[in-house]
Amino acid sequence: MKKELLILILINTLVFGNEDLLDNLLGEFAQNSDLSQETKIKNQGHSIIYTRSDLDRMQARNLRDIMKSIPFFTLQESDANFPNFNMIDQKIPFSGSQLRIYIDNHEMTSGIYGSMFAYMGSIELEFIDHIELYLAMPSFEYSSESTQVLIKLHTKVPKRDDGGKVLISQGTYGGNQQSIYLAKALDKFSYFAYISRLDDKKDNPISYGTEVNRDKQTNHFVGTVFNDKHHLLVNALNIKQGLSKNLSIDATSLENESRYNNIQVSYQNNSIDNIVAKVSYQQADDKVISNDDKPFYFDFQANTTINDIYFNVIDKVSTIQVDYVDKIKNNDILLGATMRNKTANYKTYQTNAYQVSTNGYDTQNVYAFYLQNEFNINNNSIFVLSGKYSKIENNGNINDQTLKMFRAGYTYNVEDFNAKLFYYDNPTPIEPYLYSQFFNLSQSLMAEEMKSVVAEIEYNKNNHNLRLVASQCKTENLFYFNTKYMPIPISPYYTFYVSSLDNYNKIVKNKRFTLAHTYDFTPLNRIKTNYFTQSISNSPNGNYTEQGGYLRFLNTLGKFDVFNEVVYRETSLDGKSWFDYSAGVKYRQSKNLSFSIKGENILDRGLKQDIKRFQTSDYVIYNELPSLQFTPIDKRFYGAVEYSF
């Protein structure tokens, strides 16, 4: 199979891998005019940049196409069909609030999930110019709350995209997408407007004649109005998605879906010298309907089985952020404060038509104060020292929390060489909904705290870019799923163990190493390779190692763009390994019209996840049934037509 894979890559590369003088000139122009060159500031953190050219030639249609290759992380899918990295447990719908998504400089927020990655982890990318990914804790000017991975999506602007574009796409399983955007620069301001309809059909497994629905339909609007002093953003989502297995014991739910409506309006003002002010308001209406003819679980308080769940929550987030930025001699000073109010109004939360308690929780206030100083030692060296104090106030039976974050680092940069050394102390609280909606916990968990040292070296020479990153992390109070927390006898013959979310009582250690290489053998022909390894000890799963990487070809010949990529992972935890081979070709018939075709996970050797099933009798679970399997990145093909005007 590996030989077949290499042959496929080589054929595509050799057939399309040469180019003429015109392509060289076009490639140099594309690289020199890329907006990401203006936004990659080396001292802000450990970043991965996807340029406009990368996204276009990769035919990156959604965020999954980008996230699946990030070192050290594995893109997975929970039992409720939410995207996730390094899940606490597959049964938890979403546990990724440490992954933050920004559009331009505005954070996309959620009052119950903590991060909009829950609903935007597979968002379409036709409205995006370039992407910045920051691993570890980036500069505090980028993040209002605790962050381990920050995703900055930069929208298209009239400077590059004056006019409009229409896209029509059709794919495997009936999946399809239609989108249009308009961009215009006027005398006093510019605007960008984008609207999309995406029907994301998946390869859904069948459980005893019942389809396990993982499909998702998304209507999306993004609009920006801006000039040098002002930036207004509107982001609106309407999502209907199947909830996969969710709570069903044997994956045969009669009804199992979510309906989600969201709008966020954000505004940034730079009109006062040294002051950057931001305000944001988000409101979402989230409905979940799930019922079955078999019990989901046994409610010990109500002393009955539960097989019908319905909730409707209105969550709102209001944010005010003010930053003072100044230069005093050799010091670049950032002093800022953020106030964020989150509310979760449970209009209805019922099981078997009975109202469920949410621990009295419906409000969270977050106050953050931060100070950062970048001391410019000379033209080539910067030392940064920053700290953040956050106060989290919860109502109901949930305790308040105080978080103290710290970041210190040194960056050395010359023409061909860059070196960084950073220390991070980054505590992360649990998502609010896990108390009020999922676990109904009466106690509060301590924040999970990651302390890490990260060293990075980058070298550029003769069209080669070589990058090495090594780190050592220690995590205290790790959130984990404790399945032996509360044994409860429920009959003379069975003992039921209630699973609960808890803090792990050992310090988990993680050593990481990654090596990345990029070679531009011509301006429009590039090969990127990445290898990483990490060893994890003292975890709830014991000691284990993981390794992986990717190999990516981006080639252009005349009117053809060709893309090949292999993403590989293996782990000693269960002895499994997998790889995902994707490829695509785009033909540019004219300046305004292009046709493309792309395959994802073409050889169907990507990550396989299990859907566990059990046989039930009344409220007693017994006899584990054969598991179903699915791939978070399905094997599928799609074609697209794009027309610019």
Side-chain angles (χ1 to χ4, degrees):
M1 185 63 73
K2 292 182 179 179
K3 291 182 179 179
E4 296 173 359
L5 177 63
L6 289 174
I7 290 171
L8 284 170
I9 295 175
L10 288 172
I11 289 174
N12 275 324
T13 303
L14 290 173
V15 170
F16 297 106
N18 299 309
E19 60 181 14
D20 54 25
L21 179 59
L22 177 60
D23 294 322
N24 282 323
L25 295 175
L26 290 173
E28 291 173 0
F29 174 79
Q31 288 183 337
N32 290 337
S33 63
D34 202 299
L35 282 179
S36 65
Q37 300 304 311
E38 301 175 12
T39 56
K40 183 179 179 181
I41 303 173
K42 295 184 182 298
N43 196 52
Q44 301 307 302
H46 305 276
S47 60
I48 301 172
I49 308 298
Y50 284 84
T51 68
R52 177 191 181 91
S53 176
D54 291 338
L55 297 175
D56 189 36
R57 294 193 291 167
M58 287 174 63
Q59 298 183 48
R61 298 298 185 200
N62 59 67
L63 198 55
R64 286 194 307 261
D65 293 342
I66 302 302
M67 306 302 286
K68 68 180 182 181
S69 61
I70 295 180
F72 311 119
F73 298 94
T74 299
L75 182 61
Q76 301 175 72
E77 192 176 287
S78 73
D79 278 351
N81 195 22
F82 284 98
N84 241 323
F85 277 137
N86 297 350
M87 291 185 294
I88 297 174
D89 191 275
Q90 197 167 318
K91 293 183 286 295
I92 298 177
F94 180 72
S95 56
S97 63
Q98 71 275 20
L99 284 80
R100 305 285 176 179
I101 290 187
Y102 279 62
I103 297 180
D104 295 332
N105 289 319
H106 307 286
E107 182 183 356
M108 301 294 102
T109 54
S110 169
I112 57 176
Y113 295 114
S115 166
M116 273 298 288
F117 191 81
Y119 282 107
M120 294 182 67
S122 57
I123 202 70
E124 73 283 355
L125 297 178
E126 275 69 39
F127 66 101
I128 295 303
D129 181 271
H130 65 281
I131 299 175
E132 302 171 41
L133 299 176
Y134 290 90
L135 307 182
M137 185 169 56
S139 171
F140 290 142
E141 67 185 280
Y142 291 161
S143 56
S144 299
E145 297 186 67
S146 179
T147 306
Q148 292 181 21
V149 177
L150 189 144
I151 307 159
K152 293 192 72 177
L153 307 176
H154 294 267
T155 58
K156 297 182 187 302
V157 294
K159 175 182 177 182
R160 298 280 303 274
D161 293 280
D162 191 61
K165 178 183 283 189
V166 175
L167 176 139
I168 300 174
S169 176
Q170 184 70 39
T172 314
Y173 316 118
N176 60 88
Q177 181 185 358
Q178 305 83 40
S179 70
I180 183 172
Y181 71 73
L182 298 170
K184 189 68 176 177
L186 303 177
D187 292 340
K188 295 184 178 181
F189 64 91
S190 300
Y191 71 85
F192 172 79
Y194 164 86
I195 189 168
S196 169
R197 177 192 175 276
L198 173 63
D199 193 355
D200 189 10
K201 299 286 189 180
K202 299 181 180 179
D203 184 11
N204 295 325
I206 304 296
S207 180
Y208 304 108
T210 300
E211 182 182 25
V212 182
N213 186 4
R214 301 167 49 239
D215 296 341
K216 184 176 182 179
Q217 295 82 43
T218 303
N219 299 305
H220 189 198
F221 170 80
V222 179
T224 61
V225 179
F226 60 94
N227 57 26
D228 293 340
K229 301 294 185 181
H230 307 273
H231 191 287
L232 176 68
L233 168 74
V234 178
N235 185 69
L237 288 164
N238 168 262
I239 298 175
K240 176 184 176 182
Q241 72 176 43
L243 293 177
S244 188
K245 171 184 178 288
N246 203 13
L247 295 174
S248 176
I249 299 300
D250 58 0
T252 60
S253 294
L254 299 177
E255 192 174 13
N256 199 19
E257 73 173 26
S258 166
R259 294 178 180 269
Y260 182 79
N261 293 292
N262 167 281
I263 186 168
Q264 178 165 330
V265 180
S266 300
Y267 170 70
Q268 177 175 319
N269 185 303
N270 305 325
S271 60
I272 302 176
D273 290 345
N274 305 112
I275 298 293
V276 179
K278 299 179 186 178
V279 293
S280 178
Y281 176 78
Q282 180 270 159
Q283 179 170 320
D285 185 342
D286 194 357
K287 296 183 178 72
V288 168
I289 304 171
S290 192
N291 58 72
D292 202 344
D293 56 0
K294 304 179 186 66
F296 293 143
Y297 59 88
F298 186 81
D299 188 327
F300 291 94
Q301 292 181 345
N303 196 34
T304 186
T305 56
I306 301 300
N307 64 344
D308 184 273
I309 295 175
Y310 172 73
F311 79 78
N312 178 200
V313 57
I314 306 295
D315 86 70
K316 302 176 183 179
V317 182
S318 301
T319 305
I320 299 175
Q321 179 177 341
V322 179
D323 291 343
Y324 174 78
V325 182
D326 202 358
K327 187 175 184 64
I328 303 174
K329 295 184 178 179
N330 293 332
N331 299 276
D332 292 318
I333 303 295
L334 168 67
L335 177 63
T338 301
M339 292 178 288
R340 175 167 289 170
N341 171 261
K342 306 176 187 178
T343 61
N345 176 19
Y346 287 87
K347 298 177 66 176
T348 304
Y349 187 10
Q350 296 179 341
T351 58
N352 290 14
Y354 293 98
Q355 193 70 21
V356 176
S357 169
T358 59
N359 274 326
Y361 169 83
D362 62 13
T363 303
Q364 182 182 83
N365 293 313
V366 180
Y367 305 95
F369 305 92
Y370 44 92
L371 174 64
Q372 177 172 288
N373 180 25
E374 293 183 347
F375 176 65
N376 299 276
I377 301 172
N378 52 45
N379 291 334
N380 307 113
S381 300
I382 299 176
F383 176 74
V384 60
L385 186 67
S386 53
K388 176 185 285 188
Y389 173 88
S390 293
K391 178 69 174 179
I392 301 175
E393 296 179 347
N394 302 295
N395 70 343
N397 295 324
I398 304 185
N399 294 336
D400 297 342
Q401 288 185 307
T402 297
L403 306 180
K404 297 177 182 178
M405 306 172 209
F406 180 74
R407 179 176 180 267
Y410 171 76
T411 300
Y412 175 76
N413 186 52
V414 290
E415 183 176 355
D416 298 325
F417 179 79
N418 174 262
K420 305 176 187 178
L421 180 65
F422 277 85
Y423 171 78
Y424 304 99
D425 188 344
N426 189 17
T428 303
I430 201 69
E431 291 78 5
Y433 86 103
L434 290 175
Y435 288 113
S436 60
Q437 182 177 309
F438 194 71
F439 286 96
N440 198 21
L441 298 179
S442 59
Q443 77 274 21
S444 291
L445 299 176
M446 291 182 288
E448 179 179 290
E449 186 168 5
M450 177 181 289
K451 300 177 181 179
S452 55
V453 176
V454 185
E456 177 180 333
I457 295 175
E458 185 175 6
Y459 179 71
N460 295 280
K461 194 71 173 179
N462 298 329
N463 298 326
H464 289 270
N465 176 273
L466 188 66
R467 191 179 190 188
L468 183 153
V469 182
S471 66
Q472 181 164 325
C473 308
K474 293 182 179 181
T475 303
E476 301 176 11
N477 304 319
L478 178 77
F479 300 130
Y480 83 113
F481 216 46
N482 188 348
T483 57
K484 296 182 180 180
Y485 188 77
M486 191 186 302
I488 301 175
I490 59 175
S491 80
Y493 309 105
Y494 298 97
T495 301
F496 190 84
Y497 288 86
V498 175
S499 298
S500 180
L501 195 61
D502 206 350
N503 288 120
Y504 191 51
N505 60 6
K506 295 182 180 179
I507 297 177
V508 180
K509 299 180 180 179
N510 189 334
K511 295 181 180 179
R512 293 173 170 176
F513 172 84
T514 184
L515 179 65
H517 176 246
T518 301
Y519 175 53
D520 294 324
F521 45 95
T522 64
L524 280 178
N525 283 275
R526 169 178 292 182
I527 178 172
K528 294 176 70 73
T529 57
N530 174 277
Y531 170 78
F532 76 86
T533 181
Q534 62 177 337
S535 62
I536 300 169
S537 59
N538 292 335
S539 81
N541 296 316
N543 302 335
Y544 61 97
T545 60
E546 293 180 344
Q547 62 178 337
Y550 64 82
L551 174 65
R552 181 182 303 145
F553 290 88
L554 296 172
N555 302 103
T556 296
L557 172 63
K559 295 184 176 183
F560 289 92
D561 292 336
V562 183
F563 163 70
N564 285 276
E565 181 183 68
V566 182
V567 179
Y568 177 77
R569 295 284 191 276
E570 71 174 60
T571 175
S572 67
L573 186 61
D574 53 17
K576 292 183 179 180
S577 64
W578 58 268
F579 67 86
D580 177 331
Y581 171 55
S582 300
V585 177
K586 175 179 283 190
Y587 171 64
R588 303 180 187 276
Q589 179 174 316
S590 67
K591 179 181 178 181
N592 298 329
L593 182 63
S594 66
F595 302 89
S596 59
I597 184 170
K598 183 181 179 182
E600 297 177 349
N601 191 18
I602 292 172
L603 302 179
D604 200 20
R605 294 291 301 274
L607 171 68
K608 304 288 186 183
Q609 285 186 241
D610 290 331
I611 295 178
K612 294 187 179 296
R613 301 180 295 174
F614 297 87
Q615 191 174 356
T616 66
S617 174
D618 195 12
Y619 55 81
V620 178
I621 300 173
Y622 65 96
N623 288 350
E624 184 170 355
L625 301 170
S627 297
L628 295 175
Q629 283 196 328
F630 71 96
T631 55
I633 307 292
D634 292 310
K635 174 184 178 179
R636 57 182 170 182
F637 298 86
Y638 55 83
V641 179
E642 296 173 83
Y643 178 72
S644 302
F645 57 91

